[in-house]
Amino acid sequence: MTPVFLWFLVAAPVLLGAGSPVHDSNNGTTPLVIWHGMGDNCCNPLSMGAIKKMIEEEISGIYVLSLMIGKNVIQDTENGFFMDVNDQVSMVCAQLAQDPKLKGGYNAMGFSQGAQFLRAVAQRCPTPPMKTLISVGGQHQGVYGLPRCPGESSELCDMIRKALNSGAYSALVQKHLVQAQYWHDPLNDDLYKKYSLFLADINQERVVNETYKKNLQLLEKFVMVKFLKDTVVDPVDSEWFGFLKTGQAKETETLQESVLYKEDRLGLAAMDKAGKLVFLASDGDHLQFTREWFTANLLPYLR
Ligand SMILES: *[C@@H]1O[C@H](CO)[C@@H](O)[C@H](O)[C@H]1NC(C)=O
Ligand SMILES: *[C@@H]1O[C@H](CO)[C@@H](O)[C@H](O)[C@H]1NC(C)=O
């Protein structure tokens, strides 16, 4: 008896200590995983690269992983248009699970489409645990329109627009066009529910997957930023999980007015009641904000 007891006394501090190297390697900070938006990549010095650098300057010792989907930045950019989103999410889940720095959990920040993709990670892959999800201009109810494309991808965008108009829910377009996978046509609600490979699944349009509901509620906070002068996302309500009312393309409804919320198919109503949903507004166009705005409004969730 005694040796066992002593062993416990001696081992206890060691066991306690064993937990801390992971923590120490992150310098007492919570790691951050970033997923870029359409037409962008992990490392562009003018976008994600600059954000990563800024956060590293503001939070000393933080580990920031800006996701690269593919082997290099060119593939990463292309995959943002053409790689099956469900495959992208699986790839990211595998990468996060293998990263020793993320073992104790991490915060996540998605930009534009990267935000709804990270929400899928939260719903499908609870290990390692995502703590806070920040959606910066994400389209949680998808889009119905592609008014303007960011950056230098305008020719590509014309092509994509044509494909979406010709049949966003055809198997071929769904499989090969990322934007079709979160295309939400309120005039063809039945087609959307039936054939949308990605968004209709994570938004519980076909069935209520209890695992998704449970996992999303594990988040400490789900912060959604809407850009009040957004000219890229249509309708902009999608950035706060609202959308066009079904059957027409003019009137919108808020998250709280939606069936998704009223039936609480995804746990969002429960999260709202628990004070886990945060709705932020930023005055600019899509993804346009100043360092001051970022520091004042988003940084507190990353500390
Ligand atoms: C962690 O903090 C120490 C002391 O503040 C610093 O020297 C070290 O570079 C930091 N580690 C990382 C990964 O930033
Ligand atoms: C629910 O989601 C989990 C996690 O992604 C998945 O393994 C399971 O197959 C899903 N169930 C249904 C009914 O779609």
Side-chain angles (χ1 to χ4, degrees), residues 146-163:
L146 205 61
R148 203 169 64 77
C149 272
E152 286 152 23
S153 18
S154 70
E155 271 175 42
L156 198 57
C157 267
D158 287 340
M159 216 176 81
I160 291 172
R161 203 175 280 117
K162 268 187 204 139

Side-chain angles (χ1 to χ4, degrees), residues 14-279:
V14 178
L15 288 174
L16 289 174
S20 47
V22 173
H23 203 233
D24 278 348
S25 72
N26 292 325
N27 267 349
T29 63
T30 304
L32 175 67
V33 173
I34 293 178
W35 198 329
H36 63 77
M38 173 176 90
D40 200 3
N41 62 62
C42 59
C43 310
N44 182 344
L46 297 177
S47 62
M48 293 305 113
I51 300 266
K52 175 168 157 38
K53 190 158 161 259
M54 173 177 80
I55 294 167
E56 287 164 348
E57 282 166 11
E58 298 282 347
I59 305 175
S60 147
I62 191 174
Y63 170 57
V64 181
L65 171 66
S66 184
L67 293 167
M68 181 194 275
I69 313 298
K71 291 195 178 67
N72 53 52
V73 294
I74 296 171
Q75 280 188 10
D76 189 15
T77 309
E78 286 174 358
N79 286 336
F81 290 105
F82 304 118
M83 183 177 173
D84 185 295
V85 179
N86 291 320
D87 293 344
Q88 296 193 42
V89 169
S90 304
M91 231 171 77
V92 166
C93 284
Q95 186 186 346
L96 302 187
Q98 282 161 14
D99 191 331
K101 291 203 176 99
L102 302 180
K103 272 206 168 61
Y106 65 97
N107 293 321
M109 179 154 46
F111 291 84
S112 204
Q113 69 184 19
Q116 59 264 32
F117 302 170
L118 276 171
R119 177 162 61 83
V121 171
Q123 291 176 205
R124 291 177 185 166
C125 310
T127 314
M130 187 188 290
K131 293 166 179 256
T132 285
L133 171 60
I134 302 181
S135 160
V136 185
Q139 300 104 39
H140 295 282
Q141 275 293 5
V143 294
Y144 184 53
L146 205 61
R148 203 169 64 77
C149 272
E152 286 152 23
S153 18
S154 70
E155 271 175 42
L156 198 57
C157 267
D158 287 340
M159 216 176 81
I160 291 172
R161 203 175 280 117
K162 268 187 204 139
L164 291 171
N165 286 331
S166 79
Y169 300 119
S170 78
L172 192 73
V173 177
Q174 276 292 310
K175 191 71 191 155
H176 296 287
L177 184 57
V178 164
Q179 288 68 36
Q181 294 176 33
Y182 59 88
W183 186 255
H184 188 168
D185 182 346
L187 304 175
N188 286 291
D189 198 51
D190 48 339
L191 292 182
Y192 161 67
K193 286 187 171 150
K194 201 160 170 200
Y195 297 112
S196 161
L197 282 181
F198 173 71
L199 194 69
D201 177 71
I202 63 160
N203 283 1
Q204 312 272 49
E205 298 283 10
R206 290 186 277 268
V207 293
V208 172
N209 186 326
E210 292 296 336
T211 306
Y212 286 176
K213 196 171 166 178
K214 186 183 87 205
N215 287 344
L216 192 64
Q217 290 180 75
L218 296 175
L219 288 175
E220 289 166 15
K221 289 264 192 259
F222 176 18
V223 181
M224 287 173 262
V225 178
K226 175 164 105 175
F227 291 91
L228 298 176
K229 299 199 177 97
D230 202 310
T231 60
V232 175
V233 173
D234 187 16
V236 70
D237 311 64
S238 191
E239 297 181 359
W240 275 359
F241 232 123
F243 204 65
L244 294 158
K245 288 184 183 163
T246 302
Q248 51 88 58
K250 221 172 161 165
E251 271 183 66
T252 58
E253 64 185 15
T254 62
L255 167 65
Q256 286 77 6
E257 290 162 347
S258 68
V259 171
L260 179 71
Y261 187 96
K262 285 182 180 156
E263 294 179 358
D264 205 13
R265 297 171 71 86
L266 190 51
L268 290 164
M271 291 174 76
D272 202 10
K273 285 204 185 75
K276 290 184 170 188
L277 300 187
V278 180
F279 299 90

